[in-house]
C-alpha cells in the first residue's frame, strides 16, 4: 500500500502539470477572441491580438498573457517528466518553457498602439518605442522556440511509429512559424493578420493535444 501511494503522487503531479498544457491554449484563445469581438475599434483583419494589451481594458490581455505563460511553463515541466526517457525529452520542454516565458515578456513589454487601436489612436504604424521593440523581440524568440518544439516532438513521434501525429506536429510548426514571419513582414495586410490568428489557434491546439495524450499515458 505504501509503495502504491509513493508511485501515485508523482503521476498525479505530472497529470496536473500536463493539464495546464491542455487548458492554456483554449483559455487564451477564448479570452483574446472575446475581447477582439467586443472591444471598440478592434478589427481581427487589421490588428494582432497583442494590441489588446493597450487602452483602459488592456489589463485583461496583460493578465491573459501572464496566466497563459505560467500555465505553459507548468506544462513544460510536465512534458519533461512525461517524455523522459527518449528523444526530445530535454529540448521539447525547454523550448515550450521559453515560449511560456515569452508570453510573460509580452505582458511586461506591451505592443505599441497603432493602426487606429485603441480607439482614438491615429491610423498607420505609429511611433516605435522600446517596449514595442522588445515585445516583437521576445515574441520572435518565443514563436521560433515553439515552432522548433513542434519539430522536435514530430521527430519523437515518427520514431515511435506515430506518423499521423508527426505530420500534425510538422504542419503546425510550419504554419506557426510562417504566420509569424508573415505578420512581421506583411505591414498590416489583412491576410497576414488572419493567417497569424490561424497559426496561434493551431499551435495551442497542438499543445493541448500533446499534453492530453501524454496525460492519458501517465494514467
Amino acid at each position: 500500500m505504501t509503495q502504491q501511494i509513493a508511485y501515485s503522487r508523482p503521476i498525479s503531479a505530472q497529470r496536473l502539470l500536463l493539464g495546464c498544457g491542455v487548458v492554456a491554449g483554449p483559455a487564451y484563445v477564448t479570452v483574446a477572441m472575446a475581447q477582439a469581438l467586443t472591444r471598440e475599434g478592434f478589427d481581427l483583419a487589421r490588428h494582432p491580438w497583442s494590441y489588446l494589451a493597450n487602452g483602459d481594458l488592456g489589463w485583461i490581455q496583460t493578465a491573459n498573457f501572464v496566466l497563459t505563460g505560467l500555465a505553459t511553463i507548468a506544462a513544460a515541466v510536465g512534458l519533461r517528466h512525461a517524455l523522459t526517457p527518449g528523444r526530445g525529452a530535454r529540448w521539447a520542454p525547454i523550448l515550450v518553457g521559453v515560449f511560456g516565458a515569452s508570453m510573460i515578456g509580452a505582458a511586461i513589454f506591451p505592443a505599441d498602439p497603432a493602426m487606429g487601436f485603441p480607439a482614438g489612436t491615429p491610423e498607420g504604424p505609429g511611433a516605435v518605442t522600446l517596449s514595442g521593440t522588445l515585445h516583437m523581440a521576445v515574441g520572435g524568440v518565443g514563436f521560433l522556440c515553439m515552432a522548433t518544439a513542434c519539430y522536435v516532438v514530430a521527430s519523437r513521434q515518427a520514431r515511435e511509429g506515430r506518423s499521423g501525429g508527426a505530420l500534425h506536429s510538422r504542419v503546425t510548426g510550419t504554419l506557426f512559424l510562417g504566420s509569424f514571419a508573415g505578420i512581421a513582414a506583411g505591414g498590416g495586410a489583412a491576410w497576414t493578420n488572419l493567417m497569424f490568428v490561424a497559426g496561434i489557434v493551431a499551435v495551442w491546439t497542438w499543445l493541448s493535444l500533446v499534453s492530453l495524450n501524454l496525460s492519458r499515458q501517465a494514467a
Side-chain angles (χ1 to χ4, degrees):
M1 182 66 176
T2 302
Q3 186 178 16
Q4 291 178 344
I5 293 175
Y7 280 114
S8 68
R9 286 177 179 170
I11 291 177
S12 296
Q14 178 179 310
R15 294 187 69 193
L16 178 61
L17 292 168
L18 291 171
C20 291
V22 174
V23 303
Y28 174 78
V29 171
T30 298
V31 173
M33 187 62 74
Q35 296 177 82
L37 296 176
T38 58
R39 288 192 58 183
E40 180 185 358
F42 192 88
D43 184 349
L44 277 169
R46 299 180 63 224
H47 303 132
W49 288 352
S50 291
Y51 285 15
L52 292 167
N54 293 300
D56 294 339
L57 296 176
W59 64 270
I60 299 175
Q61 184 64 2
T62 298
N64 196 22
F65 277 135
V66 172
L67 294 176
T68 304
L70 292 174
T72 304
I73 292 171
V77 177
L79 290 173
R80 173 62 175 166
H81 292 289
L83 294 174
T84 303
R87 175 171 291 191
R90 179 181 181 184
W91 282 107
I94 290 175
L95 292 165
V96 172
V98 172
F99 177 63
S102 77
M103 299 285 290
I104 299 175
I108 296 173
F109 306 111
D112 294 320
M115 308 293 291
F117 188 84
T121 301
E123 291 293 336
V128 178
T129 67
L130 177 60
S131 177
T133 301
L134 292 175
H135 182 88
M136 286 294 294
V138 298
V141 171
F143 294 152
L144 179 60
C145 285
M146 194 60 166
T148 305
C150 291
Y151 294 122
V152 171
V153 172
S155 177
R156 180 188 178 105
Q157 291 169 326
R159 171 163 289 196
E160 294 175 345
R162 293 184 287 141
S163 57
L167 177 61
H168 177 225
S169 294
R170 292 191 185 103
V171 170
T172 299
T174 302
L175 174 60
F176 189 53
L177 188 59
S179 68
F180 176 72
I183 200 169
W191 72 268
T192 60
N193 281 290
L194 295 176
M195 182 179 175
F196 191 49
V197 171
I200 291 173
V201 172
V203 83
W204 284 123
T205 300
W206 174 83
L207 181 61
S208 291
L209 292 175
V210 169
S211 299
L212 180 61
N213 288 334
L214 290 172
S215 179
R216 287 173 174 172
Q217 291 175 24

